[in-house]
């Protein structure tokens, strides 16, 4: 297959080439304990995405309350509209913590010696599939959050009103639901353009720093290998023909983006440096020339903001590498 398989490793003979079954991988006995723990978290993900997709916000009530600050009825109406929304946002934030724990468990399982990252991904495909599902959920969640300013507006109004009411000694019961400490943590979370992705990146970096006996290469090689396998599956007709769902290709693309971003935040030189193992131009060609027309779909938008979110992308030398490769 020549240059097609030259994804991340300059020496093509050493690059792993196998099919990662994102559709039907089943947990083995060895994977079962970790799989069940992560599955308990992932079962909530579809419901959260559905709720977030239909999140309307309280923009009308808030606007009326702000425009008529002396009208107590409108203040009450806005507060009653915002409070249940903030409780939903609290649930999403708490889910991010559960997702972080799930990712930590998967990283531990997929990077542990004596097996190499490639051996782990090939043998423990059910865990690799869960890792991919976490990344797919994360990018979708952040895409929905970024496109809905009502989330940030609702929470900002809640905090301002809560602070004002505390001074007046009214609505004191609201703090039992979202106390000041929780509100501060939620504020930091939702202030991020891509809060779930930031959470996963922080967890991955912390995993590397806390496991000092585990070489950093175990983690970064796991990420780069998974990105490369996704690219190979997308560009190899033999593998792509094994996708039974029309959504698997876009799923694979999102996963590739996600692991590259995690790599970028964990590896000392990042993903977009000239010395990186990841061939940015090769990755860029997957994005632009992907045969199923991704270039003109929402996936293209996802890829663009993920790339610009990169921790090292804005360094001039790295930006030039990427921009030249895509021109």
């Amino acid at each position: 297959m020549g240059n097609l398989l030259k994804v991340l490793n300059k020496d093509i003979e050493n690059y792993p080439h196998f099919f990662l079954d994102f559709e039907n991988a089943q947990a083995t006995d060895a994977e079962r304990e970790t799989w069940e723990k992560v599955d308990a978290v992932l079962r909530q993900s579809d419901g959260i995405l559905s709720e977030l997709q239909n999140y309307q916000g309280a923009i009308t009530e808030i606007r009326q309350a702000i425009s008529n600050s002396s009208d107590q009825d409108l203040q009450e109406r806005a507060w009653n509209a915002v409070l249940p929304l903030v409780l939903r946002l609290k649930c999403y934030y708490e889910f991010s913590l559960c997702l972080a724990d799930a990712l930590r468990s998967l990283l531990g399982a997929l990077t542990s010696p004596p097996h190499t990252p490639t051996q782990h991904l090939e043998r423990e495909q059910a865990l690799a599939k869960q890792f991919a599902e976490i990344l797919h959920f994360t990018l979708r969640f952040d895409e929905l959050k970024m496109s809905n300013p009502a989330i940030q507006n609702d929470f900002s109004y809640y905090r301002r009103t809560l602070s004002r009411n505390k001074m007046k000694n009214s609505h004191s019961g609201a703090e039992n639901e979202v106390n000041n400490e929780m509100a501060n943590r939620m504020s930091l979370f939702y202030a991020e353009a891509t809060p779930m992705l930031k959470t996963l990146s922080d967890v991955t970096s912390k995993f590397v720093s806390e496991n000092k006996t585990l070489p950093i290469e175990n983690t970064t090689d796991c990420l780069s290998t998974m990105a490369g396998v996704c690219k190979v599956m997308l560009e190899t007709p033999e593998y792509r023909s094994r996708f039974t769902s029309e959504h698997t290709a876009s799923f694979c693309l999102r996963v590739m983006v996600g692991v590259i971003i995690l790599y970028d935040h964990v590896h000392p030189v990042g993903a977009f440096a000239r010395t990186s193992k990841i061939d940015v131009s090769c990755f860029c060609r997957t994005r632009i020339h992907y045969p199923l027309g991704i270039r003109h779909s929402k996936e293209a938008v996802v890829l663009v903001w993920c790339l610009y979110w990169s921790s090292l992308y804005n360094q001039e030398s790295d930006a030039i590498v990427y921009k030249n490769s895509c021109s």
Side-chain angles (χ1 to χ4, degrees):
M1 293 185 179
N3 290 333
L4 181 61
L5 300 182
K6 186 180 178 184
V7 181
L8 306 174
N9 196 317
K10 300 300 186 287
D11 186 354
I12 190 171
E13 294 181 357
N14 296 330
Y15 191 76
H17 184 198
F18 61 89
F19 184 78
L20 221 172
D21 193 352
F22 285 142
E23 295 178 340
N24 303 305
Q26 300 295 315
T28 63
D29 290 340
E31 300 170 271
R32 184 72 56 189
E33 182 177 354
T34 301
W35 185 91
E36 289 179 349
K37 176 182 177 181
V38 176
D39 183 64
V41 176
L42 285 173
R43 280 200 298 265
Q44 306 173 56
S45 61
D46 286 343
I48 288 175
L49 289 180
S50 179
E51 284 187 10
L52 194 59
Q53 190 164 11
N54 295 304
Y55 189 99
Q56 298 296 320
I59 184 170
T60 301
E61 293 86 348
I62 291 173
R63 184 184 294 118
Q64 291 175 345
I66 292 175
S67 301
N68 302 275
S69 57
S70 60
D71 189 324
Q72 193 57 35
D73 288 340
L74 290 178
Q75 306 307 310
E76 289 286 346
R77 187 181 303 171
W79 176 260
N80 291 333
V82 165
L83 185 56
L85 295 174
V86 169
L87 295 181
R88 283 170 59 184
L89 295 179
K90 177 188 175 186
C91 289
Y92 304 158
Y93 166 71
E94 291 174 333
F95 181 75
S96 76
L97 303 180
C98 296
L99 203 66
D101 286 339
L103 177 61
R104 194 177 293 110
S105 297
L106 289 175
L107 288 174
L110 294 173
T111 62
S112 61
H115 300 310
T116 65
T118 298
Q119 290 171 331
H120 275 299
L121 291 175
E122 194 166 11
R123 296 177 181 183
E124 298 158 27
Q125 295 215 0
L127 299 186
K129 178 175 179 286
Q130 287 183 320
F131 187 13
E133 288 169 344
I134 287 177
L135 291 167
H136 185 266
F137 165 84
T138 295
L139 297 192
R140 182 61 180 145
F141 180 96
D142 287 347
E143 180 188 4
L144 292 171
K145 184 266 179 185
M146 284 177 31
S147 63
N148 193 343
I151 293 172
Q152 194 77 353
N153 292 339
D154 290 347
F155 191 68
S156 296
Y157 178 81
Y158 170 83
R159 296 208 70 187
R160 291 196 307 270
T161 305
L162 183 63
S163 178
R164 187 166 59 247
N165 288 339
K166 283 174 66 177
M167 293 176 63
K168 295 179 181 179
N169 239 356
S170 62
H171 292 309
S172 57
E175 195 169 352
N176 294 330
E177 299 290 349
V178 182
N179 60 34
N180 193 54
E181 180 184 355
M182 173 62 75
N184 287 336
R185 284 186 276 144
M186 288 174 61
S187 181
L188 291 173
F189 178 76
Y190 287 108
E192 295 287 343
T194 54
M196 285 289 179
L197 207 46
K198 177 66 162 59
T199 298
L200 296 197
S201 293
D202 288 347
V203 167
T204 306
S205 297
K206 190 175 181 181
F207 174 82
V208 171
S209 63
E210 287 181 346
N211 291 273
K212 299 186 183 302
T213 59
L214 186 71
I216 187 174
E217 289 77 13
N218 284 37
T219 303
T220 55
D221 287 355
C222 175
L223 300 175
S224 61
T225 299
M226 193 162 183
V229 170
C230 286
K231 178 179 172 62
V232 169
M233 290 197 298
L234 286 169
E235 294 191 337
T236 305
E238 174 191 350
Y239 289 159
R240 204 170 61 246
S241 66
R242 293 171 64 178
F243 296 164
T244 59
S245 169
E246 60 181 359
H247 302 297
T248 303
S250 61
F251 176 93
C252 203
L253 183 63
R254 284 174 181 261
V255 172
M256 183 174 71
V257 171
V259 289
I260 288 176
I261 291 173
L262 289 184
Y263 180 100
D264 182 62
H265 281 255
V266 173
H267 199 280
V269 302
F272 298 90
R274 294 180 185 277
T275 55
S276 170
K277 283 185 177 181
I278 291 179
D279 186 338
V280 178
S281 61
C282 230
F283 163 66
C284 189
R285 283 194 294 273
T286 303
R287 177 175 70 89
I288 292 175
H289 300 299
Y290 180 61
L292 296 186
I294 291 296
R295 183 180 185 183
H296 301 291
S297 74
K298 288 184 178 179
E299 303 303 328
V301 177
V302 173
L303 284 161
V304 168
W305 64 252
C306 282
L307 287 168
Y308 276 85
W309 187 84
S310 158
S311 66
L312 299 178
Y313 175 81
N314 288 324
Q315 293 185 15
E316 183 177 357
S317 61
D318 301 332
I320 290 172
V321 172
Y322 172 74
K323 291 169 184 173
N324 288 344
S325 69
C326 293
S327 60

